[in-house]
Amino acid sequence: MSTWKRDMASGLVVLVPIIVTIWVVYWLFRFIANLPLTQTIANPALRVFITLVVFVLLVFAVGYLMRTAIGSLVEAGIDNVMNRVPGLRVVYNASKMAVETALTGTSDLQAPVKIDTWKNIRMTAFKTGREAPDGRKLLFLPTAPNITSGFVIEVDEEDVIETDENVEEALTRILSAGFGERDETPAGIPIDVVEEKREGEERPATD
């Protein structure tokens, strides 16, 4: 690899993740700052701060309410109303189940596993902590690098291959389309080392 290509690759490896992270943070900042409820406040940073504080307080308040008998009645009433609206009930129930599974699941929740799909091709999936009516384990098999799409598959427990990975390691491999596999990714970018011949010095002979 030529010097300019190596320098450009090294620069992109460092700068692109930083730029993407900054852009995401900026987008979230603008989105929160432009919410209509806080438009009367002139300072955008203050609008974002107040919105986040109110949201956190609202989360704790609703969570405390759900521990009471009144909270259970309120939740049942909301579920009843949402389930009466065609189309909307699908979105509501799916999002509610996803949040409940992610936050209050069992110890096996989303634990990464591997399964043999066909002809010894092994794929990474995640436990959901749920079972099919016939007792098979429900797994989520995401696509790479877009993990928001994938398949819900039913697998016999003996066909599930346990791993010593955590969720972050498995997601890194999927999001990087396999390039983030641990113990196989070289540290940094390989650099071609060329030994320069000094003036008046002969290069040692090689066999």
Side-chain angles (χ1 to χ4, degrees):
M1 183 183 293
S2 61
T3 302
W4 71 269
K5 289 183 179 179
R6 184 172 61 247
D7 293 343
M8 182 176 180
S10 300
L12 288 175
V13 168
V14 174
L15 290 179
V16 169
I18 297 176
I19 293 174
V20 172
T21 302
I22 293 176
W23 183 85
V24 171
V25 172
Y26 175 75
W27 183 86
L28 289 174
F29 180 87
R30 290 292 302 272
F31 175 78
I32 297 175
N34 291 328
L35 291 176
L37 298 178
T38 57
Q39 290 303 308
T40 55
I41 303 176
N43 192 335
L46 184 59
R47 291 202 298 265
V48 173
F49 176 77
I50 293 178
T51 302
L52 293 178
V53 171
V54 171
F55 178 75
V56 172
L57 293 176
L58 181 63
V59 169
F60 279 103
V62 173
Y64 177 78
L65 179 64
M66 290 300 104
R67 294 180 350 188
T68 64
I70 297 178
S72 299
L73 294 176
V74 171
E75 183 180 12
I78 295 175
D79 290 343
N80 186 38
V81 172
M82 291 296 182
N83 287 324
R84 291 177 180 273
V85 181
L88 183 60
R89 63 184 179 185
V90 176
V91 178
Y92 174 77
N93 289 325
S95 59
K96 183 176 181 178
M97 182 176 297
V99 174
E100 289 178 348
T101 302
L103 297 180
T104 62
T106 63
S107 59
D108 291 333
L109 174 66
Q110 292 187 350
V113 295
K114 294 185 179 181
I115 57 172
D116 289 331
T117 50
W118 63 90
K119 292 187 180 298
N120 294 325
I121 295 179
R122 187 168 293 174
M123 303 183 72
T124 300
F126 294 89
K127 290 183 178 181
T128 64
R130 311 209 175 230
E131 294 184 355
D134 60 356
R136 293 187 178 189
K137 301 298 182 181
L138 289 180
L139 305 179
F140 175 63
L141 182 65
T143 55
N146 180 16
I147 61 173
T148 59
S149 63
F151 305 92
V152 177
I153 57 178
E154 302 176 8
V155 183
D156 291 326
E157 187 172 4
E158 58 269 20
D159 294 330
V160 176
I161 305 172
E162 302 288 346
T163 68
D164 59 350
E165 291 182 312
N166 56 40
V167 175
E168 181 179 353
E169 291 171 340
L171 286 178
T172 298
R173 180 174 61 255
I174 297 173
L175 289 170
S176 64
F179 293 100
E181 181 66 42
R182 63 175 185 177
D183 298 332
E184 295 182 6
T185 304
I189 297 177
I191 300 176
D192 300 328
V193 178
V194 179
E195 183 180 354
E196 297 182 357
K197 182 179 179 181
R198 297 181 181 177
E199 184 178 357
E201 180 182 354
E202 294 184 0
R203 188 183 301 273
T206 56
D207 295 336

